[in-house]
Amino acid sequence: MSLKDVFEILCYNGDMEEQLAKIKEWLGTGSINVFGLPMSGKDTVGVRLAEGLGAKFLSSGIIVRAIEESTRQSLTHQGRLIPSNMFYEWVLPYFEKRELWEYPLVLSSIGRWAGEEDQVMSVAKESGHQIKAAVVLELSEQTVIERWEAAKILGDRGLREDDANPRIFQNRIQEYKEKTVPVLKHYQELGLLVPVKADFPRDQVFANVVQALADFSDKPPVFLG
């Protein structure tokens, strides 16, 4: 590695640290909700962002699958979202957990069914974790399918067991298009949507997210009733 390469890496890391510090100050104990198609890297980006911000990470998918396993229910095994009433009962109480009170939150698709976003925003605000941005990782459906096919071969993306079935994986894509896209449109109407191109290597996608949030933090705050 040349001295020039070392210098560029140091500058890159320094810029990102400054951007993360800026986001952290703006965010306070608020929340950032991350959305995207299956295989877009929501959890990968979310976990890394939480680490960089000193935040706690909450994934609706992880929460729901854990409860399904403990209660021996199989509500999502066909790639479908759980009914909203069960989502409210299972997921929203996490916002009130005492161990989260003093921390900002990075959410992975909390409230994926149209209509759930208003309840999520209300509960988040009441618990001191107001949602300040909704990041959407933009990826074409064709790229998603290509990543899914590659993941089956390489086994390097944590492919869920039920995703081995192409019909079930297609159900997940369809659920996103029918139920989650309207959620994103609502966040956009509220001035909270932060779109980020995700058709890049993981490090570049994360850098794009950090840059986009740092830029977004400069905008006037959105006041929600």
Side-chain angles (χ1 to χ4, degrees), residues 4-223:
K4 180 181 178 182
D5 291 334
V6 172
F7 178 76
E8 289 179 349
I9 290 172
L10 290 174
C11 289
Y12 172 80
N13 290 337
D15 289 345
M16 180 169 289
E17 288 301 318
E18 290 181 7
Q19 291 169 341
L20 287 169
K22 179 181 180 181
I23 296 167
K24 185 173 183 178
E25 181 178 1
W26 160 77
L27 186 59
T29 59
S31 301
I32 297 170
N33 210 351
V34 183
F35 293 89
L37 280 160
M39 308 299 294
S40 62
K42 297 183 296 296
D43 286 358
T44 300
V45 167
V47 168
R48 191 169 175 183
L49 187 60
E51 291 174 349
L53 297 174
K56 299 294 185 180
F57 176 72
L58 291 181
S59 165
S60 60
I62 292 174
I63 293 170
V64 168
R65 288 192 292 275
I67 294 177
E68 282 183 311
E69 183 176 349
S70 66
T71 60
R72 297 184 179 181
Q73 299 184 65
S74 298
L75 299 174
T76 62
H77 72 288
Q78 292 297 319
R80 306 296 185 188
L81 299 179
I82 63 171
S84 291
N85 64 317
M86 299 188 76
F87 165 77
Y88 297 146
E89 179 183 350
W90 287 5
V91 178
L92 293 191
Y94 277 77
F95 283 95
E96 304 286 352
K97 286 187 175 292
R98 186 178 183 87
E99 59 266 30
L100 304 181
W101 284 1
E102 299 178 0
Y103 293 92
L105 304 180
V106 176
L107 316 173
S108 180
S109 296
I110 302 289
R112 288 188 275 184
W113 197 325
E116 293 177 349
E117 68 276 13
D118 286 330
Q119 187 70 12
V120 170
M121 284 188 285
S122 176
V123 171
K125 184 176 181 180
E126 289 173 3
S127 64
H129 301 292
Q130 180 177 347
I131 293 179
K132 294 192 172 183
V135 172
V136 56
L137 302 176
E138 296 185 327
L139 208 59
S140 71
E141 186 174 335
Q142 180 59 39
T143 301
V144 164
I145 293 172
E146 290 172 358
R147 286 188 177 185
W148 172 72
E149 291 173 341
K152 288 196 299 181
I153 297 171
L154 300 175
D156 68 340
R157 299 185 67 89
L159 194 64
R160 285 166 43 178
E161 184 178 349
D162 59 5
D163 283 343
N165 185 319
R167 179 181 58 80
I168 294 177
F169 186 71
Q170 190 61 48
N171 285 346
R172 292 181 63 201
I173 294 175
Q174 196 62 32
E175 289 282 270
Y176 179 87
K177 291 162 65 175
E178 293 180 0
K179 297 174 180 176
T180 306
V181 168
V183 171
L184 301 177
K185 289 181 179 178
H186 188 39
Y187 278 119
Q188 184 176 37
E189 292 167 356
L190 295 173
L192 295 174
L193 194 66
V194 181
V196 178
K197 296 294 184 183
D199 192 13
F200 298 100
R202 296 177 188 180
D203 286 348
Q204 185 60 55
V205 172
F206 179 68
N208 291 349
V209 169
V210 172
Q211 180 67 65
L213 285 170
D215 293 342
F216 185 78
S217 69
D218 285 330
K219 296 182 178 181
V222 175
F223 295 100

